[in-house]
């Protein structure tokens, strides 16, 4: 049972890292769920304070994930259409076989969204750039937190002091 829990926790940690890039999965929250599963294994000591603080960090990052792209878009004169375009562009970029689709998709999506909202290429490019910067900043932040949580996972797993079977 211990090995099963560790494998589930590891899977959640890896999904959390993947969720840093995919808008469908809440990256840091998924990684935190991996820490929680690890907590239920024998021989791994995670304090309630540790779990609460890491949960609060994960929730904070989850909320920021919605605020940062919006701030980037607004800062550069963008609209809600640009933010929606960024998300759709990300999904299409991930699913498409083009190189760097995960980077190109959000920018092109934001540009198309802004062009639909207002037919001004200069303003649309500026807003698309802001939306893209917000997306990149948010993704980077989620990725860093997910990697830190993975580091906690590895450290706590290395301190395991019970029988595996």
């Amino acid at each position: 049972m211990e090995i099963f829990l560790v494998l589930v926790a590891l899977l959640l940690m890896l999904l959390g890292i993947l969720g840093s890039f995919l808008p469908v999965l809440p990256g840091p929250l998924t990684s935190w769920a991996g820490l929680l599963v690890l907590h239920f294994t024998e021989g791994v000591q995670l304090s309630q304070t540790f779990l609460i603080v890491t949960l609060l960090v994960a929730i904070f990052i989850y909320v920021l994930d919605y605020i940062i792209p919006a701030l980037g878009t607004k800062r550069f004169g963008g609209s809600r259409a640009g933010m929606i375009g960024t998300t759709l562009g990300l999904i299409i970029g991930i699913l498409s076989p083009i190189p760097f689709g995960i980077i190109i998709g959000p920018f092109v999506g934001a540009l198309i969204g802004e062009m639909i909202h207002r037919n001004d290429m200069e303003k649309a490019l500026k807003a698309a750039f802001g939306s893209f910067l917000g997306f990149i900043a948010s993704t980077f932040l989620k990725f860093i937190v997910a990697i830190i949580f993975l580091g906690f996972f590895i450290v706590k797993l290395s301190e395991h002091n019970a029988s595996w079977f």
Side-chain angles (χ1 to χ4, degrees):
M1 184 65 167
E2 294 297 307
I3 292 178
F4 175 74
L5 287 175
V6 169
L7 290 176
V8 168
L10 178 61
L11 177 65
L12 288 168
M13 298 305 292
L14 296 176
L15 283 174
I17 292 170
L18 189 60
S20 298
F21 301 100
L22 301 174
V24 178
L25 292 171
L29 284 173
T30 306
S31 291
W32 181 83
L35 290 173
L36 182 63
V37 170
L38 186 65
H39 171 71
F40 291 113
T41 61
E42 286 187 40
V44 174
Q45 300 296 320
L46 297 176
S47 71
Q48 284 184 338
T49 304
F50 175 81
L51 288 173
I52 290 169
V53 168
T54 53
L55 174 62
L56 291 175
V57 168
I59 290 170
F60 181 68
I61 297 301
Y62 180 76
V63 170
L64 277 183
D65 186 35
Y66 290 98
I67 295 172
I68 292 174
L71 290 176
T73 301
K74 293 290 182 199
R75 175 86 170 120
F76 285 81
S79 66
R80 182 166 168 80
M83 293 180 349
I84 292 169
T86 301
T87 302
L88 292 175
L90 172 65
I91 294 168
I92 292 168
I94 289 170
L95 297 176
S96 69
I98 62 171
F100 305 108
I102 195 169
I103 295 171
I104 296 169
F107 179 80
V108 171
L111 181 63
I112 291 170
E114 290 299 331
M115 286 299 291
I116 290 171
H117 179 70
R118 66 180 129 206
N119 199 11
D120 181 349
M121 184 58 124
E122 186 177 324
K123 288 183 180 178
L125 272 172
K126 185 178 177 185
F129 183 69
S131 182
F132 176 72
L133 282 179
F135 162 75
I136 293 296
S138 177
T139 300
F140 180 73
L141 191 58
K142 290 186 300 184
F143 178 71
I144 293 300
V145 170
I147 291 296
I148 290 170
F149 283 5
L150 178 63
F152 289 152
F153 174 85
I154 292 169
V155 167
K156 293 300 183 180
L157 190 60
S158 70
E159 295 171 353
H160 182 271
N161 60 10
S163 172
W164 287 104
F165 301 102

